[in-house]
Amino acid sequence: MMKKYDTTKPLVLKKGVYQLNDESNFNYQLNRVINWDGGRLEDVVTVAGKIHNSADWKRAMITLGNRAMKEGRTENAIAYYRMSEFFMYDGDPDKKKYYERATKLFYQYYADFFEGDHPRVRRYEVPYRNVKLPVMHVVPEGKSKGTILIHGGNDSYFEEFLFTVLYMQEKGYEVYMFEGPGQGGVMRVQGMHFTHEWEKPVKAVLDYFHLDDVTIIGISLGGYLAPRAAAFDKRIHRVVAWSVFPCFQDVIVGMQKPAIQKLFYLLMGLHARPLINYVFGKKAKKEPVIDWGIKHGCYAYEAKDAYGYARKLKLYDLEPVADRITQDMLIVGANQDHFIDYRMVGREINMLKNVKSLTFRLFTDKEDAQNHCNVGNGKLVIDTICNWIEQISAGDPNVR
């Protein structure tokens, strides 16, 4: 019989940044396995240096998962099986298989959080079009400091934020964590892909629970999605963009050298589909992060090639709706983010002409928070966000 997680243990959010692989995205995702997903450093270091491509990643994570299960380390196995799926692409029969294996193990292992007459975490399914959006809901002991609605981004699984949600609960907040179109099981099992009109799934959640006076927090691509929702729904009073994210297309292109950026915009302006596909096809063969980005992107955004994906990404642009964002807003950045040049925040700030207040917090390597979404020191970021919410809610003149 599987040993379950001991829910009486003090809650600990991991801290630390490790150099595990020479390729930036593999290195980042390995840190994510350890910090967010329940993996062990001592396991990961045994395979990290052997990962050079997506096939290596898949093989390494499944091997670690099988070993952990054999040794009765379910928490670690969940991390490895879940993240084994990360670099599997559309058409791989193992993609859904390992997603479902990890998810089933998750709800078995952490069952004591979700079961009983008065569970610490209640799970709901919110009807939305032809799917159901999964939601985790927690209520703090004593008086609530406010309501938080939180969601992930481009490649998130909402189960990996369980301890983020529980920590916010301990900080005194009522929290709703949901998974939307393009994310986790909503896409992998229910088949609904991304929409840039994030206000629509957010409206479904707000309506279902009759919520108002909410702080919305969007992680990674959520740095675009959450502000987008706030532009259309004034039941959202405070906005946290847990990543600089003015425009998805510009974020992706910004990873390239200036000459490539100029070429890209020229070719896109000419609608040169074959040339765009050729340029990014060549780069994908040399750069695993580009290979992953295009293959995952075509799957998650229903695009047939790199050109189609690039066109879809232009829809995820904050500028057309930025003047409709009138709430208090916090933007969180990271000084060594391998996906996003944090200096793009200047452009984002210039868009936000009508916000009630605007705060930007840059986390750095001195704080172990230099990675994308500050993987390495999530506790510091959550503490910062919660402090900001309290100050804004109290009308602190030092914040306004």
Side-chain angles (χ1 to χ4, degrees):
M1 186 175 177
M2 180 191 297
K3 184 180 178 181
K4 294 183 180 180
Y5 181 84
D6 181 3
T7 57
T8 65
K9 293 194 304 185
L11 202 63
V12 176
L13 299 183
K14 293 181 181 178
K15 179 183 176 183
V17 176
Y18 311 100
Q19 180 56 45
L20 300 165
N21 190 287
D22 291 337
E23 198 280 321
S24 61
N25 196 36
F26 287 139
N27 189 65
Y28 169 75
Q29 302 300 346
L30 290 167
N31 274 270
R32 176 178 173 180
V33 168
I34 295 164
N35 278 287
W36 278 4
D37 291 287
R40 297 195 313 181
L41 176 61
E42 55 264 46
D43 292 340
V44 173
V45 294
T46 65
V47 301
K50 303 171 186 176
I51 297 173
H52 305 289
N53 53 47
S54 298
D56 292 341
W57 175 279
K58 173 183 174 180
R59 184 166 50 250
M61 290 297 115
I62 292 173
T63 298
L64 290 183
N66 291 341
R67 184 186 305 160
M69 282 301 293
K70 187 176 180 181
E71 296 174 2
R73 296 183 287 109
T74 309
E75 179 179 9
N76 306 140
I78 293 167
Y80 305 136
Y81 287 147
R82 175 186 293 146
M83 288 301 287
S84 73
E85 180 266 352
F86 192 84
F87 287 102
M88 297 183 205
Y89 302 121
D90 194 18
D92 187 332
D94 286 334
K95 187 171 182 67
K96 184 177 178 181
K97 172 185 172 182
Y98 279 96
Y99 168 79
E100 291 184 327
R101 179 176 296 184
T103 304
K104 182 179 179 181
L105 285 171
F106 176 90
Y107 287 106
Q108 290 174 343
Y109 182 66
Y110 294 106
D112 288 348
F113 281 125
F114 297 92
E115 296 178 353
D117 293 335
H118 302 285
R120 183 169 177 182
V121 185
R122 293 190 181 272
R123 199 169 185 274
Y124 298 87
E125 292 184 331
V126 174
Y128 176 69
R129 297 188 178 178
N130 62 335
V131 302
K132 294 180 178 178
L133 308 179
V135 178
M136 293 185 197
H137 176 219
V138 297
V139 178
E141 292 185 13
K143 186 179 178 181
S144 173
K145 294 180 180 177
T147 302
I148 292 173
L149 178 65
I150 183 170
H151 59 81
N154 179 53
D155 52 49
S156 63
Y157 317 80
F158 90 147
E159 289 86 5
E160 74 181 333
F161 299 115
L162 171 63
F163 287 94
T164 296
V165 169
L166 294 175
Y167 184 64
M168 289 177 170
Q169 179 192 37
E170 288 190 356
K171 298 280 288 183
Y173 290 90
E174 181 175 7
V175 185
Y176 295 83
M177 173 88 205
F178 82 96
E179 198 166 73
Q183 300 174 339
V186 177
M187 178 172 68
R188 289 161 178 82
V189 178
Q190 299 186 70
M192 179 172 279
H193 297 257
F194 262 108
T195 175
H196 70 286
E197 296 176 320
W198 202 249
E199 67 275 10
K200 294 179 179 179
V202 166
K203 181 181 185 300
V205 175
L206 294 176
D207 288 350
Y208 186 87
F209 294 105
H210 307 290
L211 299 179
D212 198 356
D213 192 6
V214 168
T215 299
I216 192 169
I217 302 175
I219 304 166
S220 189
L221 173 62
Y224 157 80
L225 299 172
R228 162 85 193 205
F232 292 88
D233 202 316
K234 300 311 173 184
R235 289 173 292 181
I236 299 168
H237 288 198
R238 293 157 298 277
V239 186
V240 180
W242 193 340
S243 192
V244 175
F245 227 109
C247 173
F248 202 169
Q249 187 184 89
D250 293 344
V251 163
I252 295 297
V253 177
M255 297 166 62
Q256 304 303 312
K257 294 178 181 178
I260 294 292
Q261 294 183 38
K262 289 181 181 179
L263 177 62
F264 170 83
Y265 290 118
L266 173 64
L267 295 177
M268 287 300 291
L270 295 171
H271 305 288
R273 180 174 231 132
L275 283 172
I276 286 282
N277 290 336
Y278 174 75
V279 169
F280 278 90
K282 290 204 67 165
K283 290 190 73 63
K285 290 179 181 177
K286 297 178 181 178
E287 300 178 37
V289 68
I290 299 296
D291 184 52
W292 166 78
I294 292 172
K295 288 176 178 174
H296 174 77
C298 288
Y299 168 57
Y301 297 84
E302 294 186 288
K304 69 178 185 178
D305 54 18
Y307 174 82
Y309 175 45
R311 283 183 62 87
K312 286 278 180 88
L313 294 189
K314 186 58 181 172
L315 295 172
Y316 295 74
D317 185 353
L318 202 56
E319 191 160 22
V321 300
D323 62 348
R324 299 178 64 166
I325 302 171
T326 57
Q327 298 91 331
D328 296 292
M329 185 164 171
L330 169 65
I331 303 172
V332 176
N335 74 327
Q336 294 179 13
D337 190 325
H338 74 294
F339 282 132
I340 302 170
D341 184 346
Y342 74 87
R343 290 169 294 189
M344 296 181 80
V345 75
R347 178 183 160 197
E348 187 167 344
I349 288 170
N350 288 338
M351 294 177 186
L352 299 165
K353 296 180 173 62
N354 295 319
V355 290
K356 183 181 282 187
S357 71
L358 180 59
T359 304
F360 174 55
R361 172 66 157 89
L362 180 67
F363 291 91
T364 74
D365 50 312
K366 302 295 191 296
E367 303 167 291
D368 281 334
Q370 69 268 36
N371 279 335
H372 182 61
C373 296
N374 317 104
V375 169
N377 200 346
K379 180 180 182 298
L380 175 62
V381 181
I382 297 167
D383 287 343
T384 301
I385 290 171
C386 290
N387 289 340
W388 177 82
I389 294 171
E390 288 179 41
Q391 291 172 322
I392 288 293
S393 298
D396 188 333
N398 292 322
V399 175
R400 293 179 186 277

